[in-house]
């Protein structure tokens, strides 16, 4: 007998990018709908009036009437060992790394510490409605082992890797080109493709990896083409100047990664704020992904992501959205999208509520190449689901009194919402977090 569950509420699921097809054609919306889940996957969805009478006998119905049912949210760049770095005062990127981050990350040599933090981390993601994330560990294999083990236990779809870093940090945080390669390979063999887990080869950034280590990262990718690549690119002017000094042969920061074969459609480049046009062209041609991390970019004073320049017709760069905890300041993808909206505003550009909700669901799923599994409520996909209450706080409920249509309601939810708006989170059809 299949395990079944139905959810009733206001269903919103994207089918296309609103920036490409317009808001109206981009999504399915049912004011009073039902999603039927069977054995962890979406089996059907439709109007409650049609569906309720046809549900197989005994199917429990979770009543979320009046609340929004969306696919689980996706965070494409976050650091496991920085849950106790978030909100560290007073520095920009390179000093912040030395003063706070590289101190805290040393604690992850201890598996028990890593396991405790991994447990908190996944609890917190799910409490925020985030069901999939691309996660950086510390340099220690313990950090990746702890996260993968906990994600496997909870059956969440997660992408993660230990960072590779062989220079530019305290000795206790350094691997070598050889050990970084060997340990990453062992982690790939141990975890990649197990349950819902994926490995991301993770050279931290060009400042902390030698030529030899970046070459080793390229070899890992070539040997394991199903794996992801995640790193940081063009976040801060001092960082970019350091990269120029360390790689005098390179035409640009992007060129450093390009020379070692690190660009591609499974490559996620965090930040991409200060790119030159030639770099955007290479990212576009290689189908690499530029990851916008707005709360981090504002908190660390890094700069304003130029969405329009990246998306420019002719040579569009694929874009994703992420928290970047602990440079970022909120685990909530709603709040992250709200800050992205403000960054877009500061650039004099426009972004609709539907574009933002697309970005944190199907948009991020597509950026990860996982739209066949997650990111929508399409029948056959995995039933990772979030239920949002657009009236979660008195101020939201008060504002909602004057919201005239769905687009306006969604915009209020986006700008005022955070984890308090998360009514329930489901992983493969099972409720895991309820406010
Ligand atoms: N660049 C290299 N490492 C990091 C990190 O941990 N956070 C951010 N925001 N940028 C980085
Ligand atoms: Zn980061």
């Amino acid at each position: 007998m299949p395990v079944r569950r139905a959810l009733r509420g206001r269903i919103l699921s994207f089918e296309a990018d609103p920036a490409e097809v317009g808001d109206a054609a981009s999504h399915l919306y049912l004011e009073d709908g039902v999603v039927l889940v069977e054995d962890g996957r979406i089996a059907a969805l439709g109007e409650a009036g049609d569906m309720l009478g046809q549900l197989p006998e005994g199917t429990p119905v979770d009543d979320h009437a009046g609340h929004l049912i969306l696919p689980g949210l996706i965070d494409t760049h976050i650091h496991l060992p920085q849950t106790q770095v978030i909100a560290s005062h007073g520095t920009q990127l390179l000093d912040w790394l030395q003063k706070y981050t590289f101190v805290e990350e040393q604690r992850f040599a201890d598996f028990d510490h890593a396991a405790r933090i991994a447990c908190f981390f996944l609890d917190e993601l799910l409490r925020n409605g985030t069901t999939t994330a691309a996660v950086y560990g510390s340099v220690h294999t313990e950090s990746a082992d702890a996260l993968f083990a906990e994600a496997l236990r909870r059956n969440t779809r997660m992408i993660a890797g230990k960072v590779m870093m062989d220079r530019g940090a305290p000795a206790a945080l350094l691997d070598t080109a050889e050990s970084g390669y060997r340990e990453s390979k062992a982690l790939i063999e141990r975890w990649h493709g197990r349950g819902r887990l994926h490995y991301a080869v993770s050279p931290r950034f060009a400042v902390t990896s030698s030529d030899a280590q970046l070459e080793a990262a390229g070899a890992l990718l070539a040997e394991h083409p199903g794996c992801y690549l995640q790193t940081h690119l063009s976040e801060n002017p001092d960082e970019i100047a350091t990269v120029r000094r360390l790689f005098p042969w390179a035409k640009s920061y992007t060129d450093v990664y390009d020379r070692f074969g690190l660009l591609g459609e499974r490559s996620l480049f965090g930040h991409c704020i200060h790119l030159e046009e030639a770099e955007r062209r290479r990212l576009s041609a290689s189908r690499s992904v530029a990851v916008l991390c707005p709360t981090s970019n504002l908190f660390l004073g890094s700069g304003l992501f130029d969405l329009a320049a990246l998306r420019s017709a002719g040579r569009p760069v694929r874009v994703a959205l992420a928290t970047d905890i602990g440079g970022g300041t909120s685990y909530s993808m709603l709040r992250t999208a709200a800050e992205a909206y403000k960054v877009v505003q500061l650039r004099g550009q426009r972004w609709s509520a539907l574009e933002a909700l697309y970005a944190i669901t199907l948009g991020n799923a597509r950026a990860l190449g996982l739209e066949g599994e997650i990111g929508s409520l399409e029948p056959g996909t995995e039933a990772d689901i979030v239920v949002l209450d657009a009236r979660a706080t008195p101020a939201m409920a008060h504002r909602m009194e004057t919201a005239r249509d769905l687009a306006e309601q969604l915009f209020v939810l986006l700008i005022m919402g955070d984890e308090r708006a998360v009514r329930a989170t489901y992983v493969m059809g099972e409720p895991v977090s309820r406010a």
Side-chain angles (χ1 to χ4, degrees), residues 77-79 82 136 231-232 235 270-271 293 296 324-325 327:
H77 181 134
I78 184 167
H79 296 257
Q82 296 179 14
Y136 290 74
T231 189
H232 299 82
E235 177 177 3
H271 308 295
C293 307
S296 172
D324 189 30
I325 298 289

Side-chain angles (χ1 to χ4, degrees), residues 77 79 82 93 96-97 101 105 204-205 232 235 239 271 296 300 324 327:
H77 181 134
H79 296 257
Q82 296 179 14
L93 177 64
W96 174 83
L97 285 171
T101 308
E105 292 198 3
R204 183 180 204 117
F205 67 154
H232 299 82
E235 177 177 3
E239 169 210 20
H271 308 295
S296 172
L300 291 174
D324 189 30

Side-chain angles (χ1 to χ4, degrees), residues 292 305-312 319 344 347 349-351:
L292 162 57
F305 189 88
D306 192 343
L307 184 64
L310 280 154
R311 283 213 177 137
S312 161
V319 171
V344 167
R347 287 275 191 190
Q349 299 162 14
R350 284 188 76 93
W351 210 42

Side-chain angles (χ1 to χ4, degrees), residues 12 14 70 73 334 337 351-363 388 410 413-414:
L12 177 62
F14 288 87
L70 278 81
L73 309 182
L334 287 175
W351 210 42
S352 73
L354 282 164
E355 283 180 274
L357 289 169
Y358 165 82
I360 61 179
T361 56
L362 184 60
L388 299 176
L410 293 178
L413 169 65
L414 192 76

